[in-house]
Amino acid sequence: MSRTRRKRPGQAATAWAFSAPGLLLLAAFMVLPFALALGFSFTNERLISPLPTRFVGLDNYVSVLTDATFWRALRNNAVFVLVVVPVQTTFALWLAVLVNRRLRGSIFFRSVFFLPVMTVMAAAAVVWTLLFHPRGLVNAVMELVTFGAFSPDWLNSTTWALPAIMIVSIWQGVGFQMIVLLAALQDVPDQLYEAAALDGATGWQQFTNVTLPGIRNGLIFVITVTTIMAFRLFDQVWIMPRTPGGPLNSTRTVMLEMVETGFGQQQIGRGSAIAVVFFLIVLLVTLVQRLFLRERREGS
């Protein structure tokens, strides 16, 4: 293989030429903004202020890490991730297995399940706000099922506001994960199922010993992407509660705290410190995930 590479000296240049547009966009929209945020986090930079910008050292980080509201927002983020990632991944896998069967109408159901992904989250959040109204459709169904015993004021309750937002997030995002897992399922050779059936394996044994190992890389991708997207929770907690992050900060997230600090309160320096701390937390969680869930390489 190394000999082949020596025969093509222009191969590396071609690869860089094709990668250049993407690398430039990444540098312009991700690396540069993060570098600026890192720089601003050590200053007293404000959005509109006659005062000159000055270096304040770690003051912004100390202020953020000793703020109870930040830790409440981070706790809400952690609860959201711990519930949404496993539930949404399991639900997506169940849907993918369901629509992967050779049944009439499976293509129609694939389209129906994927449809929420095409919906803008802001629009979906507005519609679900109406559905979660105390006299909305959700409570009408709950009263019917529980004979009137359960009909909370979802979005104005410190107990039920975050679960309501979880339901909307799972509904909107599960179609994307379903499509990824469906593609992984279709790569599992039929011969493996035939061999397992000849050995007398039950349906559950085929699922655990053939299906899950066969879609391992797809599952890892779905879990990683879902975790990162769950940490980015913003639209729903901004739109659905009566006040963003309410009631009583029960739906406040770090993204919301960062935006309100940086733009609402015009404290760009402190908002940048929140962004840097949050980036490091998400990076650490992702690296730990990658450590425990290594992808299986082709041929290994």
Side-chain angles (χ1 to χ4, degrees):
M1 186 177 290
S2 59
R3 191 176 301 169
T4 306
R5 286 179 180 168
R6 286 193 209 103
K7 289 180 180 178
R8 298 178 179 177
Q11 193 173 19
T14 305
W16 278 108
F18 276 101
S19 304
L23 292 175
L24 286 174
L25 290 174
L26 282 174
F29 293 104
M30 297 189 72
V31 178
L32 180 60
F34 181 75
L36 290 173
L38 185 62
F40 285 142
S41 68
F42 295 103
T43 70
N44 67 338
E45 177 74 16
R46 296 183 65 88
L47 196 60
I48 301 174
S49 173
L51 299 176
T53 301
R54 63 182 176 83
F55 181 75
V56 296
L58 296 175
D59 287 359
N60 287 323
Y61 289 97
V62 173
S63 172
V64 168
L65 295 175
T66 55
D67 185 2
T69 305
F70 170 77
W71 289 107
R72 175 63 187 272
L74 188 60
R75 191 185 73 179
N76 289 339
N77 261 119
V79 171
F80 184 84
V81 170
L82 288 174
V83 173
V84 168
V85 173
V87 172
Q88 187 166 318
T89 303
T90 305
F91 191 29
L93 179 58
W94 178 69
L95 289 177
V97 171
L98 204 63
V99 299
N100 191 43
R101 297 187 176 188
R102 294 182 178 86
L103 299 174
R104 290 185 62 183
S106 61
I107 294 177
F108 169 76
F109 285 107
R110 291 177 192 175
S111 305
V112 170
F113 296 147
F114 188 74
L115 204 56
V117 182
M118 306 298 291
T119 309
V120 177
M121 179 52 86
V126 171
V127 173
W128 276 95
T129 302
L130 299 175
L131 295 177
F132 277 119
H133 188 272
R135 296 183 179 179
L137 181 62
V138 173
N139 270 359
V141 174
M142 296 306 297
E143 286 178 0
L144 186 66
V145 173
T146 64
F147 302 101
F150 183 74
S151 56
D153 188 357
W154 293 87
L155 300 176
N156 292 316
S157 164
T158 54
T159 304
W160 294 107
L162 192 57
I165 289 171
M166 289 175 181
I167 293 171
V168 176
S169 303
I170 292 171
W171 169 84
Q172 198 270 343
V174 72
F176 170 73
Q177 283 86 349
M178 181 200 71
I179 290 296
V180 175
L181 294 175
L182 179 62
L185 282 172
Q186 292 180 347
D187 279 343
V188 181
D190 290 338
Q191 294 87 340
L192 295 179
Y193 291 105
E194 293 168 1
L198 287 175
D199 288 339
T202 63
W204 177 250
Q205 288 172 328
Q206 290 182 27
F207 177 75
T208 54
N209 295 302
V210 177
T211 303
L212 287 181
I215 63 171
R216 176 185 169 83
N217 290 349
L219 267 177
I220 292 173
F221 173 78
V222 164
I223 292 172
T224 304
V225 171
T226 307
T227 303
I228 295 172
M229 293 176 75
F231 272 115
R232 291 173 48 195
L233 178 64
F234 177 76
D235 292 11
Q236 302 93 308
V237 299
W238 180 272
I239 295 172
M240 294 181 66
R242 185 170 295 173
T243 57
L248 299 176
N249 291 332
S250 60
T251 60
R252 177 169 292 274
T253 62
V254 178
M255 284 289 290
L256 178 62
E257 177 71 8
M258 181 173 60
V259 171
E260 285 194 342
T261 302
F263 294 96
Q265 303 170 17
Q266 302 185 358
Q267 299 179 19
I268 294 296
R270 192 171 186 276
S272 299
I274 295 174
V276 173
V277 171
F278 193 44
F279 168 78
L280 293 176
I281 292 172
V282 176
L283 180 64
L284 179 64
V285 171
T286 306
L287 289 177
V288 170
Q289 269 191 340
R290 298 288 296 179
L291 185 65
F292 287 99
L293 300 173
R294 292 181 183 278
E295 289 185 5
R296 181 176 296 164
R297 299 296 178 188
E298 196 70 30
S300 62

